[in-house]
Amino acid sequence: MTQIQTLLIIGFVWPEPNSSAAGGRMLQLITQFQQQGYAITFASPAMDSDFMVDLAPLNVKKESIALNCSSFDTFVKELNPAVVLFDRFMIEEQFGWRVAENCPDALRVLDTEDLHCLRLARQKAFKEHRNFTITDTLKEEVAKREIASILRCDLSLMISEFEMELLKTTFKIDDKLLYYLPFLLEPISEKTFEKLPSFEERNDFIFIGNFLHEPNWNAVQYLKETIWPLLRKQLPDANLHVYGAYPSQKVLQLHQPKEGFHIKGRAIDANEVVQNARIVLAPLRFGAGIKGKLIEAMQCGTPSITTTIGAESMQGNLPWNGFVTDDVTEFTNSAMQLYQDKKVWILAQQNGISIINERYSKEQFENDFASKIQILRSNLPQHRLDNFFGALLQHHTLTSTKYMSRWIEAKNSKKD
């Protein structure tokens, strides 16, 4: 009888698929590993949240773990996972050395979500009113930590082709350590398409995004102060509905119904509100990764207008689901045209469906991903031997982080 292999996922937070694209991405990965026959345990040091998904119906075991505590060593040794998936590099920093020490034969996989050093370097360049260059990522302090984490892991899952190329060319990361795995979606069938609301059945503009994410807050400010006044002047009866989880007081204060600018907060059903909107506006001025809000727009048959950063790595060689521009006037004129011209709108909608079906259909990736994991597990000693810098970093990190963590643990025990 074949022994069931265990996958341990260590989460930065508990998955909230209705709050962020990262939550949805995590559920997609859970499904992939379950299809490969893994029993899954999801552990996190995060507090429970009101909006976290219930893992029990998904046949995923939930475990709370503590930072800087040797109780994790006992837990992971008893679990003895075949594969450990770290949710973002900060989690690998905290727990990677403990996994390496207690379960040396476990395959260590990092899900990057997006490149933090890229996002933060772009954000810094924007706030300093200068043009971003790729070399800015090298100067970003977090890059040293993030790249070290990628090197220590056996494989890093990348959601963006642009970011994969950046890692290979700018940071000289070996291609064998990286694997392109974007959102894994169900293709949009003709039957699903026919159920979508028509052009005439839809009204108004929408923005949607988690407000704990700085690029989203900045985009809403940009809409309120610059884009929406221009658009409202041309379409005086139009409304913009802004949805997003965790809105702060400064977000709520932007609510101006008389100006057609409505702050709605968390959407109970994101699909419903996006399907009922005619256009998604996403003027993102910095960021990284693949934008969940724009994928969601395509799935809902809702054309979008975004920036080059918003659309980065999303469409391949296919035409966009609307318009892509960094110019304010073009952005506004494109929004007005898309809102009023049914032919242009329908073409944009069809473009979005083509992008989903041709670039994100999970059937394209499932078998290859399963094969990649299996091959790596079968050849792990040689794979690690080929990754000398990873072994070097693992050696020094294990030593330095281990003693820092032990010191914190001892300090905490004295308080108790």
Side-chain angles (χ1 to χ4, degrees):
M1 187 174 174
T2 307
Q3 186 181 359
I4 295 175
Q5 301 289 345
T6 300
L7 164 71
L8 170 63
I9 301 175
I10 310 179
F12 182 67
V13 293
W14 301 106
E16 291 187 22
N18 295 325
S19 300
S20 70
R25 158 77 164 182
M26 183 51 72
L27 294 193
Q28 291 164 16
L29 291 175
I30 286 170
T31 300
Q32 289 305 307
F33 279 103
Q34 284 179 329
Q35 287 176 357
Q36 293 176 34
Y38 287 89
I40 300 178
T41 295
F42 193 108
S44 178
M47 300 285 287
D48 286 7
S49 76
D50 292 338
F51 302 100
M52 61 190 275
V53 73
D54 185 0
L55 293 168
L58 303 176
N59 293 319
V60 175
K61 191 177 178 186
K62 177 179 180 287
E63 290 283 350
S64 290
I65 52 177
L67 296 169
N68 301 307
C69 183
S70 55
S71 60
F72 178 83
D73 301 345
T74 307
F75 158 71
V76 79
K77 198 177 284 187
E78 287 177 359
L79 186 67
N80 192 27
V83 182
V84 178
L85 177 69
F86 302 103
D87 171 27
R88 287 165 263 205
F89 81 89
M90 302 84 80
I91 283 296
E92 188 280 333
E93 281 185 326
Q94 288 286 344
F95 296 99
W97 68 271
R98 291 183 183 273
V99 170
E101 192 174 70
N102 292 286
C103 302
D105 297 329
L107 180 72
R108 299 188 296 270
V109 181
L110 173 65
D111 187 36
T112 58
E113 294 290 350
D114 64 17
L115 271 186
H116 293 62
C117 62
L118 175 63
R119 173 159 45 84
L120 293 172
R122 281 174 167 165
Q123 185 173 327
K124 188 179 287 184
F126 172 79
K127 293 195 170 177
E128 292 174 359
H129 306 288
R130 58 179 174 80
N131 290 329
F132 164 80
T133 63
I134 288 296
T135 54
D136 287 338
T137 56
L138 292 166
K139 301 170 192 171
E140 194 59 41
E141 191 61 33
V142 78
K144 299 176 182 68
R145 295 168 53 202
E146 191 166 24
I147 299 305
S149 181
I150 288 169
L151 285 167
R152 283 192 299 265
C153 286
D154 300 310
L155 190 69
S156 288
L157 306 181
M158 306 299 301
I159 208 163
S160 158
E161 293 153 318
F162 176 84
E163 292 174 16
M164 272 192 78
E165 197 56 35
L166 186 149
L167 287 175
K168 287 189 279 188
T169 56
T170 303
F171 291 98
K172 313 301 181 190
I173 302 292
D174 191 328
D175 190 45
K176 288 186 286 190
L177 298 177
L178 306 173
Y179 187 80
Y180 175 62
L181 194 70
F183 290 138
L184 305 165
L185 308 174
E186 293 286 351
I188 300 170
S189 65
E190 192 65 38
K191 192 175 180 181
T192 303
F193 176 71
E194 286 170 359
K195 291 179 182 176
L196 294 171
S198 66
F199 176 83
E200 290 81 9
E201 291 171 320
R202 298 168 181 249
N203 289 297
D204 297 333
F205 297 88
I206 190 172
F207 174 90
I208 190 162
N210 187 319
F211 285 109
L212 296 178
H213 197 51
E214 182 69 19
N216 289 333
W217 159 237
N218 181 268
V220 170
Q221 282 181 298
Y222 190 30
L223 282 166
K224 179 70 170 66
E225 295 165 8
T226 307
I227 294 171
W228 187 245
L230 296 172
L231 195 48
R232 176 81 168 178
K233 197 176 287 184
Q234 297 184 67
L235 297 169
D237 295 327
N239 291 283
L240 172 59
H241 304 278
V242 177
Y243 287 90
Y246 303 106
S248 63
Q249 194 56 41
K250 63 184 179 181
V251 175
L252 298 173
Q253 284 174 350
L254 298 181
H255 183 60
Q256 294 289 340
K258 289 180 181 177
E259 297 171 13
F261 199 91
H262 307 268
I263 302 293
K264 297 291 186 73
R266 180 185 289 272
I268 296 169
D269 185 335
N271 273 345
E272 185 182 345
V273 296
V274 176
Q275 276 189 25
N276 288 326
R278 193 172 286 180
I279 311 287
V280 167
L281 300 179
L284 300 162
R285 293 187 284 186
F286 51 86
I290 297 295
K291 314 306 180 295
K293 61 177 66 58
L294 297 173
I295 288 286
E296 187 172 53
M298 296 177 204
Q299 289 178 301
C300 293
T302 311
S304 63
I305 302 163
T306 190
T307 57
T308 50
I309 283 178
E312 183 177 86
S313 277
M314 290 191 66
Q315 71 200 92
N317 296 319
L318 300 172
W320 186 250
N321 173 46
F323 295 97
V324 178
T325 177
D326 296 321
D327 181 81
V328 175
T329 305
E330 277 184 30
F331 195 102
T332 307
N333 291 340
S334 298
M336 186 178 68
Q337 181 189 9
L338 202 50
Y339 194 78
Q340 294 178 316
D341 192 325
K342 183 178 177 179
K343 283 185 180 178
V344 175
W345 187 90
I346 288 173
L347 180 60
Q349 182 186 58
Q350 290 168 343
N351 289 343
I353 288 164
S354 295
I355 291 170
I356 293 293
N357 289 349
E358 293 182 38
R359 284 185 57 80
Y360 299 99
S361 173
K362 64 181 183 179
E363 294 167 1
Q364 295 179 44
F365 302 97
E366 287 175 330
N367 291 339
D368 190 73
F369 179 52
S371 176
K372 181 72 175 179
I373 296 297
Q374 191 175 354
I375 290 168
L376 273 179
R377 286 189 59 203
S378 301
N379 299 283
L380 198 51
Q382 186 61 48
H383 180 75
R384 287 179 177 168
L385 205 58
D386 294 340
N387 180 20
F388 177 76
F389 287 109
L392 182 74
L393 285 164
Q394 190 67 257
H395 170 77
H396 288 292
T397 302
L398 194 117
T399 304
S400 59
T401 313
K402 176 179 179 177
Y403 288 109
M404 174 59 80
S405 186
R406 297 282 191 234
W407 179 79
I408 293 170
E409 186 178 357
K411 193 177 175 188
N412 289 341
S413 65
K414 284 179 183 176
K415 287 180 186 174
D416 298 337

